[in-house]
Amino acid sequence: MEKTGVPHVIFLPFPAQGHIKPMLNLAEILSHAGFQATFVNTEHNHHRILHNTDIHDRFPKFQFKSIPDGFPSDHLRSDLLYIRDFFRSCRVAFKPALRELLISLKEEKEPCQPPTCMIADGIMCFAIDVAEEFEISTIFFRTFSAHCLWTYFHLSKLIEEGEVPFQDENLDKPILCIPGLENVLRRRDLPGFCRTENADDPILQFFIKETSALTRGTGLILNTMNEIEGLMITRLGSFFNKVYAIGPLHALKSRINENSSSSSTSSDGILWKEDKKCLKWLDSKPSRSVLYVSFGSLINLSGEQILELLHGLVNSEKSFLWVIRPDLIVGDATIGDILKEQETGRLERGLIVSWAPQEEVLLHPAIGGFLTHSGWNSTLESIVAGVPMICWPQMADQQVNSRCVSEIWKIGFDMKDTCDRSIVEKLVRELMDNNREEMMESANKLARLARDSIEEDGSSCINLEKLIQDIKSMSSSLTQVHISG
């Protein structure tokens, strides 16, 4: 075989924006190291991306492939029910489709080399079964915090200790059986799926099995940094031969693009069309005067919740920029109906958009705070921008993240398990006025640590170089096999 040892990496994200975005950032970073990249989306998400952007212009070094997700074409695929259904069915549809894709890639003459390794999302662990058939190494990428992954590794222990399911309604009961987090987590801070009545709950068991399967990989990639999660990263080293903490990926990608004179592209608008007019609106606002509000790409809210949040924001008398997706509200209410109930003059301080270029928004000097669902991408982007947070988590890792923000890093307030206009008003005022200097000092300190991590001598850059060299070694090994064969 005349193929050279250029690494060819297959990227397999979980089919949700919060997972696709960091995986795209990672793929772009590795492409700068000379790697060939094949990015695999579901057919549905591939069509959405094509609708919202010219991916071949934005990512000219990639080849994009798509495989079916096993759902009918008219399935909405836009709510948590779809995600739960996907957990149950992904192996049925994805495994054979991924196998066929690898066969086609292996047989292709041009333009790519045979696959060197696969970087798969940490909740797509079935991929390693397929990769092993083709003698391809698998590195797993878990797209949330080290604190959260450490918690996931103790889900079985939580069940054994009788902590899950909860034995009563006291959500403030401390959790004492997770080493290193004994004085941090309460019941309400555990991942959302722990609020189950049955230890055999399929979603809980899914995450227990997926987390255990991570250890079969060659290594683990985390979108975090030693500077803020070093202790948890070290603890995770007891489960993995190699842990590559190389975050914040969006900031690392931007720095590498700047140094290589490449255009830096945000992945905010991959599945949603961005409304960039909000940046001009922010230009007209004083420094640190605007609260940014966004609850990510998956969460659904009732009309009553939207109304409570809106009243709290308006009553705080602070300017706000609020992202309300077209599919955010469940039920018969629409944002138009809700806004009609408000006095026009009371809404003059606010701007509502369907989707925003979040990285740019958070870096804008007018932004003074972030009311967030505490997804890990949003949390990292806020940390890098030095913006303190009000956390309103709803699912999965968000409960752990919000606790870290408030109790470990001291860069925000945790508003979980409440949606009351008076509390929203109080915390907005606390964040933007009463505790402004204290919060900003902590937020600026963490932002400096994040920036330090992506400098050439920073921990994330050093770990990235280790990852690059390890993938190159895999490519060299494959080349030797082909030559000897």
Side-chain angles (χ1 to χ4, degrees):
M1 177 174 281
E2 297 181 357
K3 297 280 188 183
T4 62
V6 177
H8 174 194
V9 183
I10 300 170
F11 296 88
L12 183 67
F14 183 80
Q17 167 122 347
H19 295 250
I20 295 172
K21 178 177 177 177
M23 190 74 87
L24 267 175
N25 287 335
L26 176 60
E28 190 170 350
I29 288 168
L30 292 181
S31 74
H32 281 292
F35 293 5
Q36 297 173 338
T38 295
F39 203 91
V40 183
N41 283 305
T42 62
E43 291 174 348
H44 175 77
N45 282 337
H46 184 68
H47 292 313
R48 284 185 68 186
I49 291 172
L50 289 176
H51 177 74
N52 287 313
T53 184
D54 189 335
I55 56 175
H56 301 294
D57 283 348
R58 291 183 66 173
F59 305 99
K61 298 180 181 179
F62 296 6
Q63 66 170 346
F64 285 87
K65 300 288 186 179
S66 62
I67 56 180
D69 60 10
F71 292 92
S73 59
D74 59 351
H75 194 291
L76 291 177
R77 296 176 174 85
S78 61
D79 56 20
L80 296 181
L81 288 177
Y82 160 62
I83 297 299
R84 294 188 182 100
D85 289 343
F86 187 86
F87 288 154
R88 288 191 287 266
S89 66
C90 61
R91 286 168 173 77
V92 177
F94 254 56
K95 255 191 170 181
L98 183 59
R99 186 179 290 110
E100 290 300 315
L101 176 63
L102 288 180
I103 291 172
S104 67
L105 290 174
K106 193 173 182 179
E107 294 176 348
E108 276 185 3
K109 298 285 190 280
E110 296 293 340
C112 286
Q113 311 294 332
T116 300
C117 75
M118 181 184 301
I119 296 180
D121 194 288
I123 50 175
M124 302 280 274
C125 290
F126 68 88
I128 196 169
D129 297 331
V130 181
E132 285 176 348
E133 294 178 30
F134 293 83
E135 299 182 337
I136 299 172
S137 297
T138 302
I139 303 172
F140 285 115
F141 177 19
R142 204 60 179 96
T143 57
F144 56 22
S145 68
H147 280 82
C148 191
L149 183 55
W150 182 246
T151 303
Y152 274 44
F153 267 107
H154 290 83
L155 291 173
S156 292
K157 189 172 184 180
L158 287 168
I159 295 173
E160 292 167 7
E161 295 287 332
E163 297 288 1
V164 174
F166 302 158
Q167 301 303 310
D168 54 52
E169 296 181 359
N170 179 15
L171 294 180
D172 290 318
K173 182 180 183 293
I175 298 297
L176 303 176
C177 63
I178 302 179
L181 296 176
E182 297 93 342
N183 298 314
V184 177
L185 297 182
R186 307 158 298 176
R187 282 176 174 170
R188 72 172 72 248
D189 305 314
L190 293 175
F193 51 79
C194 289
R195 302 186 186 193
T196 177
E197 297 178 357
N198 187 351
D200 294 326
D201 177 80
I203 301 301
L204 175 59
Q205 289 300 319
F206 171 86
F207 282 109
I208 290 173
K209 292 174 183 176
E210 289 294 290
T211 303
S212 176
L214 288 173
T215 58
R216 293 174 57 196
T218 303
L220 172 74
I221 299 169
L222 289 173
N223 186 15
T224 189
M225 66 221 85
N226 289 340
E227 284 77 359
I228 70 167
E229 290 202 284
L231 291 177
M232 287 298 115
I233 293 168
T234 299
R235 287 180 179 273
L236 286 169
S238 63
F239 292 104
F240 300 94
N241 291 326
K242 295 182 179 180
V243 179
Y244 309 95
I246 57 174
L249 282 168
H250 72 285
L252 180 57
K253 181 198 71 173
S254 295
R255 189 187 69 77
I256 291 173
N257 281 337
E258 288 173 3
N259 292 345
S260 65
S261 300
S262 299
S263 59
S264 182
T265 57
S266 165
S267 300
D268 284 325
I270 289 298
L271 296 182
W272 294 93
K273 197 74 172 178
E274 297 172 341
D275 182 350
K276 294 206 171 190
K277 295 192 295 294
C278 64
L279 296 173
K280 289 188 176 181
W281 181 81
L282 288 173
D283 289 340
S284 68
K285 302 300 178 182
S287 175
R288 301 290 182 184
S289 67
V290 178
L291 181 76
Y292 175 56
V293 184
S294 178
F295 302 121
S297 59
L298 275 179
I299 285 172
N300 300 119
L301 303 179
S302 67
E304 290 78 10
Q305 288 174 313
I306 293 286
L307 194 58
E308 289 298 308
L309 292 165
L310 182 60
H311 275 292
L313 293 172
V314 170
N315 293 343
S316 74
E317 299 183 332
K318 302 299 177 186
S319 296
F320 61 90
L321 169 61
W322 191 354
V323 175
I324 297 184
R325 306 185 325 264
D327 63 345
L328 177 67
I329 305 173
V330 294
D332 297 329
T334 67
I335 186 59
D337 296 333
I338 294 170
L339 293 178
K340 284 178 184 177
E341 299 178 20
Q342 309 299 309
E343 297 176 24
T344 304
R346 301 187 73 212
L347 295 173
E348 288 180 350
R349 292 189 184 90
L351 177 66
I352 294 174
V353 297
S354 60
W355 197 253
Q358 182 163 290
E359 291 176 33
E360 294 177 74
V361 167
L362 287 170
L363 289 168
H364 196 285
I367 297 297
F370 184 11
L371 173 51
T372 172
H373 66 305
S374 295
W376 187 236
N377 290 322
S378 293
T379 301
L380 273 182
E381 289 160 16
S382 201
I383 286 173
V384 169
V387 174
M389 290 166 264
I390 299 171
C391 301
W392 193 49
Q394 302 297 304
M395 56 178 279
D397 64 316
Q398 297 163 15
Q399 280 86 353
V400 178
N401 297 339
S402 64
R403 188 64 169 173
C404 291
V405 165
S406 65
E407 296 303 309
I408 297 178
W409 303 319
K410 310 290 186 183
I411 54 171
F413 299 119
D414 191 352
M415 197 179 75
K416 65 164 61 84
D417 296 322
T418 185
C419 186
D420 178 87
R421 65 186 68 183
S422 62
I423 293 176
V424 174
E425 176 187 350
K426 176 180 180 292
L427 290 183
V428 172
R429 290 180 182 273
E430 287 287 319
L431 191 78
M432 304 289 282
D433 289 335
N434 299 349
N435 288 279
R436 185 185 185 113
E437 295 305 319
E438 179 184 348
M439 285 289 182
M440 285 306 306
E441 183 178 350
S442 298
N444 287 333
K445 177 182 178 181
L446 224 60
R448 287 193 296 271
L449 291 174
R451 289 193 294 269
D452 289 345
S453 74
I454 62 171
E455 294 299 323
E456 286 191 12
D457 58 349
S459 65
S460 292
C461 267
I462 292 170
N463 289 331
L464 173 63
E465 185 57 32
K466 291 177 182 177
L467 174 63
I468 289 170
Q469 294 306 318
D470 287 345
I471 294 176
K472 285 182 176 179
S473 296
M474 296 174 193
S475 182
S476 298
S477 298
L478 278 176
T479 302
Q480 291 299 319
V481 169
H482 288 309
I483 291 173
S484 61

